[in-house]
Amino acid sequence: MNRYKENLWPDRKYITTWGASGWTNDFMSYIILIYMAMISDRIPVIPPFSRSHHIDADFPVHFGDIYDVAALSESIRWPILQWSEVKNMETGEEESLGCWSAWQLVEPEPRSSWIPFVLNLDVSYTTAPDWATLRQEKTQSVWALVSLGFEAGRLESALQPAQPSPKKKVISPDEQLFCLDYIYYAGVVRRLDMFDGDYSPGWRMIGKYAKFKPSLVNLATLRLKKHFGIPRRGQLPPFIAVHMRRGDFRSWCPDEIATEECYGSLEAYGVRVQEVQAELLQKRGINVTRVLVTSNEDRESPLWDDIAARGWGYIDHNVDAEEHSLGSWLLPVLDAIFHSMSIGFVGTQESTMSLMGRLRVEQWNGGVTRSVRWGSKNADDH
Ligand SMILES: *[C@@H]1O[C@H](CO)[C@@H](O)[C@H](O)[C@H]1NC(C)=O
């Protein structure tokens, strides 16, 4: 298990990529990877999630630590491998690998990522050819990138020279383990469209079937029951989840706008909650009064008092995180599972965590959703 090269079947082909953003965006990249694998007859090798600014743990968390990989593989009828199955992350030897840089099509350098470091890989990149973009969108094309994994695409790429790896190795892209640095923005028709459209194949063919691990769902269910005052063996009541993404979203606000005016106000979320309640009553005939808020807002913030004053609840699961093998990863993971179990969901526009919540609530639960716009005062007025 110290060298991945010895753990791949010589007669099979594989595909991999690196995560290099927050947990949700890495999840979306890995779903795109699985799609690319399916359309190129390759086996996806999924890396751990990258270390991100949201989480202070410094150990690798694998796809299968959070999602039910066996169930996903069975639903989509496609094999799925994880890097943890082909290389030991503690004792793995340094190996070199030639990869394509898709990122360099739109940025000066290949995407930097913690993943090659944790996998002990010394990577030499070759920039993908110019034609691998959706021109009008200035983003990578999923299908054009995939064609580089075939003979014809590779010949047509008129190979640019590979760039030296950190250890000064110059290696052209590996044919057996087809590797792309960063594919989060890649689209089929337009930028970021693998999830957010009715045709989006990332969600439709794969993401929809990526369920959370049962042990985590059980933990989330227990926390929710405790929060709502329901006995362990009682039934979880229907509730509305509100995801207020704040914290680092501040950096997207124009400087001249005060932070509290840039974020959606509690009133704006309140209007959306009422809309969801009304639609649930009308469409499903249920009167949902329980509202659970999740947010990356600091626990010391006065916002939490304002939330409680509205009669909305929140769960402080720091306690669970201390004892759990996922450590601080557990916090966003439980929040995402809470979202996925709600019957009504109010998210924050532009947040991919909200986007996943919305898709799951609509399609797993037949629920009702809204999202709050922000970025200027009263941005969500409608
Ligand atoms: C919904 O439930 C709440 C709390 O029990 C109640 O005050 C309200 O009148 C109910 N609304 C409808 C439309 O039944």
Side-chain angles (χ1 to χ4, degrees):
M1 283 287 283
N2 290 340
R3 295 172 57 80
Y4 82 82
K5 282 174 185 153
E6 287 157 13
N7 289 303
L8 303 181
W9 291 299
D11 58 343
R12 298 302 299 266
K13 290 190 168 184
Y14 301 84
I15 181 170
T16 196
T17 189
W18 317 137
S21 40
W23 165 51
T24 307
N25 294 18
D26 279 359
F27 166 74
M28 292 161 74
S29 294
Y30 299 165
I31 296 298
I32 297 172
L33 176 73
I34 297 172
Y35 177 70
M36 287 178 159
M38 294 170 80
I39 61 175
S40 62
D41 278 331
R42 291 173 178 270
I43 299 173
V45 189
I46 305 184
F49 291 106
S50 56
R51 240 164 30 171
S52 84
H53 52 284
H54 308 309
I55 287 157
D56 55 15
D58 62 354
F59 52 90
V61 165
H62 306 287
F63 194 80
D65 292 338
I66 299 176
Y67 301 94
D68 188 339
V69 178
L72 173 60
S73 173
E74 192 171 324
S75 301
I76 64 173
R77 296 170 175 271
W78 204 263
I80 297 173
L81 268 182
Q82 301 181 66
W83 268 97
S84 55
E85 295 171 285
V86 297
K87 183 162 182 170
N88 185 310
M89 271 160 232
E90 264 140 39
T91 60
E93 292 165 25
E94 183 179 288
E95 292 171 280
S96 51
L97 178 62
C99 288
W100 293 99
S101 175
W103 189 238
Q104 233 174 344
L105 281 170
V106 288
E107 295 289 332
E109 302 281 331
R111 180 82 173 192
S112 97
S113 163
W114 181 62
I115 304 297
F117 171 78
V118 77
L119 298 176
N120 208 358
L121 295 174
D122 179 42
V123 182
S124 165
Y125 289 104
T126 300
T127 312
D130 280 345
W131 50 259
T133 49
L134 298 167
R135 268 169 230 292
Q136 64 284 27
E137 302 274 345
K138 286 207 173 55
T139 200
Q140 299 86 357
S141 152
V142 165
W143 265 98
L145 288 175
V146 162
S147 78
L148 295 171
F150 292 88
E151 189 79 27
R154 203 177 158 92
L155 288 176
E156 216 182 302
S157 72
L159 277 186
Q160 302 200 37
Q163 300 151 47
S165 69
K167 299 285 166 69
K168 309 281 179 257
K169 296 227 172 74
V170 176
I171 310 161
S172 47
D174 199 278
E175 292 186 41
Q176 189 193 15
L177 178 55
F178 180 49
C179 162
L180 293 152
D181 60 347
Y182 192 63
I183 53 178
Y184 168 72
Y185 290 100
V188 276
V189 182
R190 51 175 60 103
R191 193 175 143 91
L192 284 175
D193 70 349
M194 285 292 282
F195 292 84
D196 201 4
D198 55 1
Y199 65 91
S200 296
W203 173 258
R204 222 166 24 82
M205 295 172 59
I206 300 143
K208 189 164 78 175
Y209 303 105
K211 298 293 176 84
F212 296 103
K213 275 178 73 162
S215 57
L216 290 168
V217 174
N218 288 343
L219 178 60
T221 308
L222 283 178
R223 284 296 157 266
L224 287 169
K225 283 183 184 170
K226 190 171 161 199
H227 174 74
F228 292 130
I230 307 292
R232 284 176 76 97
R233 304 179 67 178
Q235 189 154 9
L236 189 65
F239 67 96
I240 292 170
V242 177
H243 177 225
M244 298 181 63
R245 177 67 191 269
R246 293 163 63 101
D248 58 310
F249 263 28
R250 172 64 191 134
S251 60
W252 290 13
C253 299
D255 286 343
E256 62 277 13
I257 297 181
T259 304
E260 283 310 315
E261 291 192 353
C262 178
Y263 292 139
S265 61
L266 272 190
E267 287 68 35
Y269 283 91
V271 169
R272 296 298 189 176
V273 166
Q274 281 171 2
E275 289 173 10
V276 166
Q277 281 168 328
E279 196 175 323
L280 282 170
L281 193 60
Q282 183 214 344
K283 282 201 178 143
R284 306 271 310 251
I286 37 179
N287 180 12
V288 185
T289 51
R290 292 178 176 84
V291 177
L292 178 80
V293 180
T294 66
S295 175
N296 62 337
E297 181 78 2
D298 199 280
R299 285 291 169 207
E300 309 300 314
S301 161
L303 179 78
W304 296 105
D305 297 330
D306 299 342
I307 287 169
R310 290 191 154 251
W312 296 351
Y314 57 90
I315 297 180
D316 184 356
H317 39 51
N318 269 307
V319 219
D320 299 304
E322 279 166 25
E323 294 162 11
H324 198 276
S325 61
L326 287 178
S328 53
W329 282 85
L330 187 68
L331 278 66
V333 169
L334 279 185
D335 281 352
I337 300 176
F338 295 158
H339 300 162
S340 79
M341 297 173 81
S342 66
I343 189 73
F345 179 71
V346 175
T348 300
Q349 192 85 32
E350 312 299 341
S351 157
T352 48
M353 186 161 174
S354 283
L355 171 62
M356 292 302 113
R358 170 166 78 72
L359 292 170
R360 289 173 182 139
V361 170
E362 287 173 0
Q363 299 192 17
W364 292 359
N365 308 340
V368 169
T369 69
R370 290 288 189 283
S371 78
V372 169
R373 289 174 298 224
W374 56 283
S376 60
K377 201 177 178 192
N378 305 328
D380 196 48
D381 284 2
H382 58 287

